[in-house]
């Protein structure tokens, strides 16, 4: 299936700090949007304003990066789905960190974004590597359960259920419905409440 996520490769972007919560990822005033389109422009809005152009998401060398490298307890705080959506709309396709808040992790998985855990030594080394060379490519490999950057590689972890959902493409509920549209229509035809609507018209 097109929705299978087995590896994600791309340049990395380092975001140093523990306990980065969802209000920092996307401040509450941006939650009034009707769709998630354009939300990437406002990711880390307050942090970026405070950093005056020095935030990694504003620095030119990290534009187009695909793998975010974070530290401990990333995505804590409120359960807003807008947080992973804003990160994804900016362009991130995978996140490597020491640990993730459970709801944030779940929201990422149902969007097809792997959040993989690595020890603090690994995350620090990856952050240092992409800081020293922003063109270095990071690969998150869900089959081998490894993260690689140049000659460096280290083990990563993720719950087996979430890993299998990503690798099999079953995280994509809409994609599954479209792929099995004939069976969906056949099931819908047997539902009595759908027949009632036809009789009423």
């Amino acid at each position: 299936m097109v929705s299978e996520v087995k590896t994600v490769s791309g340049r990395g972007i380092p975001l140093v700090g523990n306990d980065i919560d969802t209000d920092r990822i996307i401040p509450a005033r941006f939650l009034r949007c009707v769709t998630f389109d354009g939300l990437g422009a406002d990711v880390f809005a307050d942090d970026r304003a405070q950093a005056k152009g020095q935030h990694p998401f504003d620095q030119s060398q990290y534009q187009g990066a695909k793998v975010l490298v974070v530290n401990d307890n990333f995505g804590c705080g409120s359960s807003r789905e807008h947080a992973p959506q804003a990160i994804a709309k900016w362009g991130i396709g995978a996140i490597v960190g020491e640990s993730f808040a459970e709801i944030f992790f779940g929201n990422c998985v149902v969007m097809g974004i792997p959040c993989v855990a690595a020890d603090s030594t690994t995350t620090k080394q990856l952050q240092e590597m992409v800081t020293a060379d922003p063109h270095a490519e990071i690969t998150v490999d869900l089959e081998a359960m490894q993260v690689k950057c140049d000659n460096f590689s280290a083990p990563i972890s993720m719950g087996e259920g979430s890993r299998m959902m990503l690798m099999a493409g079953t995280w994509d509920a809409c994609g599954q419905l479209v792929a099995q549209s004939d069976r969906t229509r056949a099931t819908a035809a047997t539902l009595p409440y759908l027949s009632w609507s036809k009789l009423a018209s």
Side-chain angles (χ1 to χ4, degrees):
M1 284 177 69
V2 207
S3 304
E4 291 174 357
V5 181
K6 295 182 178 179
T7 61
V8 178
S9 295
R11 291 187 297 107
I13 177 169
L15 188 62
V16 177
N18 297 327
D19 306 312
I20 294 177
D21 64 37
T22 53
D23 192 51
R24 287 177 62 189
I25 296 170
I26 189 71
R29 64 186 178 279
F30 297 109
L31 305 190
R32 292 171 292 184
C33 59
V34 179
T35 71
F36 297 123
D37 296 336
L39 208 56
D42 301 311
V43 69
F44 295 108
D46 292 343
D47 286 10
R48 288 160 74 181
Q50 193 173 14
K52 299 183 174 165
Q54 297 308 302
H55 191 279
F57 276 70
D58 280 328
Q59 293 180 305
S60 58
Q61 66 267 37
Y62 299 121
Q63 300 309 300
K66 199 168 180 183
V67 180
L68 178 61
V69 186
V70 298
N71 297 111
D72 193 40
N73 197 28
F74 186 74
C76 57
S78 70
S79 60
R80 63 189 68 168
E81 187 187 357
H82 298 67
Q85 286 284 355
I87 289 171
K89 296 300 184 205
W90 189 86
I92 298 300
I95 309 176
V96 181
E98 294 167 47
S99 70
F100 302 91
E102 188 175 347
I103 294 175
F104 177 86
F105 174 89
N107 283 336
C108 283
V109 170
V110 297
M111 291 169 54
I113 300 174
C115 292
V116 296
D119 62 35
S120 58
T121 305
T122 298
T123 57
K124 185 179 178 187
Q125 186 157 352
L126 287 171
Q127 288 171 337
E128 289 173 350
M129 289 177 79
V130 296
T131 299
D133 180 10
H135 296 289
E137 186 170 280
I138 295 176
T139 296
V140 174
D141 186 337
L142 295 183
E143 292 185 295
M145 287 308 286
Q146 285 209 321
V147 60
K148 301 168 189 172
C149 184
D150 292 336
N151 296 322
F152 172 79
S153 68
I156 52 176
S157 64
M158 172 185 250
E160 189 61 13
S162 300
R163 175 176 169 261
M164 293 311 297
M165 280 175 66
L166 289 163
M167 295 212 330
T170 55
W171 64 269
D172 184 359
C174 291
Q176 288 185 74
L177 283 173
V178 171
Q180 302 183 52
S181 56
D182 291 342
R183 290 179 64 189
T184 305
R185 286 192 193 95
T187 300
T190 67
L191 300 174
Y193 48 84
L194 293 179
S195 314
W196 298 336
S197 65
K198 288 176 187 171
L199 292 171
S201 58

